[in-house]
Amino acid sequence: MDTSDLTAALAARLDIQHFSPLQPLDLQHLGWPNPANIKVYVKRDDLLHPVVSGNKWRKLSALLGALSTLPTHIVSFGGGYSNHLHALGYVCQRLRIRFTAIVRGHYQHHLTPTLQDIAAWGGELEFVDKLVYRQRNEPAYLAALQVRFGDALIIPEGGSAPAALAGMQQLVAELPAGITHLLCPVASGATLAGLAKAAPAGCQVQGIAVLKGRDYLQQLVTELAGPQTPSWHIEHAYHHGGYAKASPQLRQFCQTFNAHSQIPVEPVYSGKLFFALCEKITQSAFAAGSQVVALHTGGLQGARN
Ligand SMILES: *Cc1c(COP(=O)(O)O)cnc(C)c1O
């Protein structure tokens, strides 16, 4: 079996949809001015599965699909609301893989809904402070973890290992021809890097930064995508104060968008994406004749408090 067969087999075992729908966005109904009269679609990766966050599955399916056998134990990293840890916790329970989540912050006396789910699925939670968490990508720290956890597979924060990028090839293959712009939110950069590598010539890939740190994000994506992948760009004006921060305008926008589009969004990722999309369309940032796809990456579980 090649990687995509393995990925398909895993998705079937987990009842995860193999394709996500592409849905036109009715700008007139939303009341967004559309001076350049462009077409906009939403790629609904939020509909891939009710529990597993869409873009986390795209990454994880490629990571696991590239292995010859499934691991018996997985270790990974994230915050208290992490969509990645949540997705992984669910997948590990369903595949009977032992799971250890190394969590940034001491949540043991007040588990978030995300962490409660992971614990209920049998995941082991290990809480570390900021200083330890900061070492999560350092070779010496990872080597020590590997010794401690034997033959466990250690997956980086966000699932953003280089092998995860291939998951975005499948996504791009699901799109019709003629798409001129593909937009996604950017945190660890792997989704954007994977899309940029997979996008056909003539399709511009634009990331909306959901956190502060222009140089940091540019560098992450450059490293992941490689120097030969020129067709991407990050917009840094829409983080609304930083990661998981929201301005009153963003909150208002999310409420209105939820109500009028019937597409659920949250303020951490998809809200910032659609806010940026709305502003760019209104400002005629896309030329007449453009066909724009906004990738809804999922992530609604993280918005529970
Ligand atoms: C993690 C996440 C992202 C960011 O993807 P990166 O590959 O880390 O840039 C976007 N949307 C949602 C819902 C996520 O959970």
Side-chain angles (χ1 to χ4, degrees):
M1 282 209 281
D2 71 13
T3 301
S4 63
D5 291 339
L6 269 174
T7 302
L10 276 177
R13 268 176 82 179
L14 293 160
D15 303 305
I16 294 176
Q17 300 297 318
H18 201 41
F19 300 96
S20 72
L22 186 71
Q23 183 180 316
L25 193 63
D26 187 340
L27 303 185
Q28 204 173 357
H29 178 73
L30 287 171
W32 297 4
N34 182 9
N37 198 23
I38 63 164
K39 289 214 167 68
V40 182
Y41 304 90
V42 182
K43 179 70 171 157
R44 297 288 307 272
D45 268 16
D46 57 313
L47 297 178
L48 284 174
H49 192 266
V51 173
V52 176
S53 198
N55 94 322
K56 298 305 181 278
W57 174 247
R58 298 280 187 187
K59 297 194 244 184
L60 210 49
S61 61
L63 272 179
L64 297 179
L67 304 172
S68 49
T69 49
L70 287 178
T72 54
H73 182 191
I74 292 178
V75 178
S76 196
F77 311 89
Y81 297 87
S82 167
N83 292 324
H84 164 64
L85 290 181
H86 193 258
L88 197 49
Y90 179 83
V91 167
C92 285
Q93 186 235 15
R94 291 285 303 266
L95 299 177
R96 297 166 196 258
I97 296 171
R98 180 180 164 202
F99 177 45
T100 305
I102 299 185
V103 180
R104 177 184 188 273
H106 291 282
Y107 288 97
Q108 48 270 56
H109 301 300
H110 51 278
L111 293 184
T112 63
T114 304
L115 298 174
Q116 285 172 24
D117 283 348
I118 295 168
W121 294 326
E124 298 156 27
L125 301 172
E126 198 167 303
F127 301 99
V128 299
D129 61 28
K130 272 189 213 169
L131 288 177
V132 174
Y133 193 80
R134 197 177 287 168
Q135 302 174 50
R136 67 193 175 281
N137 294 321
E138 285 178 16
Y141 174 70
L142 292 170
L145 279 182
Q146 197 72 72
V147 168
R148 197 181 135 204
F149 289 120
D151 52 11
L153 174 70
I154 302 179
I155 296 180
E157 181 183 65
S160 297
L165 269 59
M168 262 41 83
Q169 277 166 16
Q170 153 87 22
L171 189 162
V172 169
E174 294 168 24
L175 296 174
I179 301 302
T180 57
H181 299 80
L182 185 51
L183 269 66
C184 71
V186 184
S188 75
T191 304
L192 176 65
L195 292 175
K197 282 178 81 105
C203 177
Q204 286 183 40
V205 181
Q206 298 189 2
I208 307 303
V210 302
L211 48 89
K212 268 192 216 169
R214 177 180 295 266
D215 296 345
Y216 165 79
L217 285 178
Q218 295 288 143
Q219 194 188 334
L220 275 181
V221 178
T222 306
E223 275 169 19
L224 284 163
Q228 311 301 346
T229 309
S231 67
W232 59 273
H233 162 83
I234 304 178
E235 298 275 353
H236 294 278
Y238 298 102
H239 57 64
H240 293 263
Y243 184 69
K245 302 264 166 51
S247 63
Q249 298 97 296
L250 176 64
R251 292 193 184 285
Q252 181 61 55
F253 175 87
C254 289
Q255 274 183 16
T256 310
F257 188 80
N258 281 332
H260 293 170
S261 69
Q262 312 296 330
I263 299 174
V265 294
E266 43 66 51
V268 182
Y269 297 104
S270 50
K272 291 179 183 178
L273 171 74
F274 285 103
F275 187 102
L277 178 70
C278 177
E279 197 162 290
K280 286 167 70 77
I281 293 171
T282 306
Q283 296 168 350
S284 295
F286 306 106
S290 295
Q291 303 210 54
V292 177
V293 170
L295 171 60
H296 193 319
T297 45
L300 296 152
Q301 75 79 27
R304 301 172 296 169
N305 298 288

